[in-house]
Amino acid sequence: MASESGTMGRDPCWKYCTPMEGNKNGTICNYCGLAIKSGGITRFKFHLSHTDPNSNTKKCPNVPPEVKQEIRRLIEQRNKAKAKKAVDIEEIRAELRDTMGRRHRHLIDEDDEENLGGDGGGGGGGGGGDDDDDGDDDVYMYPADMHPDERHAYREAVRASKAAEWNRQQQEHFIKGKRKTGIILI
């Protein structure tokens, strides 16, 4: 029966218990016959090792000392592995935060911030409700390692790109307006 229950999972402690029929989390101790209805193999390990952190599992009176020690070592190894994994994950996250912050940190050009006050509010845009959104377009974000001389060229390229996009949109809008007008007149 031990080989039959050993196929239940990867945990080596399955050789010391039998799974309950119809209850995937239930185990029956091979030493004392105690039926543990919930908690699975983890709670069963506490039963055999006498080390339940919550003190809600009955201790097995018939477990051999060598089995008790083996299970205690397994629990200790599992806890160490969990702690190491948590430390490793935190180190990876810290490294990512550091690298991402360094590579993707942006600075706002102070000249552009000053231009927001003059450009964004009452500059005669005439575009209706879109003026509020366009004010944010004048704030440029730069990579932290960009040389100040490159910022000017970058800013001019962004402005040229935005102007070209605006011209394209105006042309499309104009052409659509002509088509609509032409359709209505016919």
Side-chain angles (χ1 to χ4, degrees):
M1 216 188 274
S3 64
E4 187 179 300
S5 63
T7 61
M8 187 67 183
R10 294 181 305 195
D11 198 301
C13 291
W14 280 107
K15 63 186 173 193
Y16 303 120
C17 66
T18 306
M20 287 180 130
E21 286 187 37
N23 183 351
K24 67 179 184 174
N25 291 322
T27 54
I28 301 172
C29 178
N30 291 345
Y31 294 109
C32 69
L34 178 70
I36 303 173
K37 296 180 182 177
S38 64
I41 195 69
T42 302
R43 189 163 179 208
F44 176 73
K45 286 188 238 182
F46 296 145
H47 165 70
L48 288 183
S49 68
H50 300 185
T51 59
D52 184 7
N54 302 316
S55 301
N56 64 356
T57 304
K58 185 177 179 185
K59 298 172 181 173
C60 182
N62 302 331
V63 63
E66 59 274 0
V67 173
K68 186 191 298 186
Q69 289 303 334
E70 175 191 353
I71 294 175
R72 285 182 178 178
R73 276 193 312 274
L74 289 172
I75 292 171
E76 186 179 330
Q77 287 172 357
R78 184 197 68 190
N79 289 341
K80 284 181 181 178
K82 277 184 168 182
K84 183 181 180 329
K85 182 178 178 182
V87 167
D88 290 346
I89 287 173
E90 186 53 40
E91 286 176 359
I92 290 169
R93 286 181 177 162
E95 187 177 318
L96 285 174
R97 280 191 300 266
D98 183 44
T99 338
M100 295 297 287
R102 190 173 36 234
R103 287 189 186 156
H104 298 286
R105 189 171 296 136
H106 294 84
L107 302 174
I108 298 175
D109 191 296
E110 292 175 7
D111 295 335
D112 290 328
E113 277 186 24
E114 292 171 7
N115 289 338
L116 277 179
D119 240 37
D130 290 339
D131 281 346
D132 293 337
D133 293 334
D134 289 342
D136 291 340
D137 291 340
D138 291 334
V139 176
Y140 297 98
M141 304 290 274
Y142 304 103
D145 57 348
M146 182 180 274
H147 190 273
D149 293 339
E150 293 177 298
R151 289 183 184 180
H152 179 72
Y154 177 79
R155 186 178 334 151
E156 292 303 316
V158 169
R159 286 181 179 159
S161 173
K162 288 180 181 180
E165 177 66 17
W166 185 83
N167 287 335
R168 185 189 61 76
Q169 288 174 352
Q170 293 302 312
Q171 187 176 7
E172 285 179 10
H173 182 71
F174 181 72
I175 291 171
K176 285 180 183 176
K178 288 253 182 192
R179 287 184 191 152
K180 286 181 182 177
T181 306
I183 293 172
I184 293 173
L185 293 176
I186 295 178

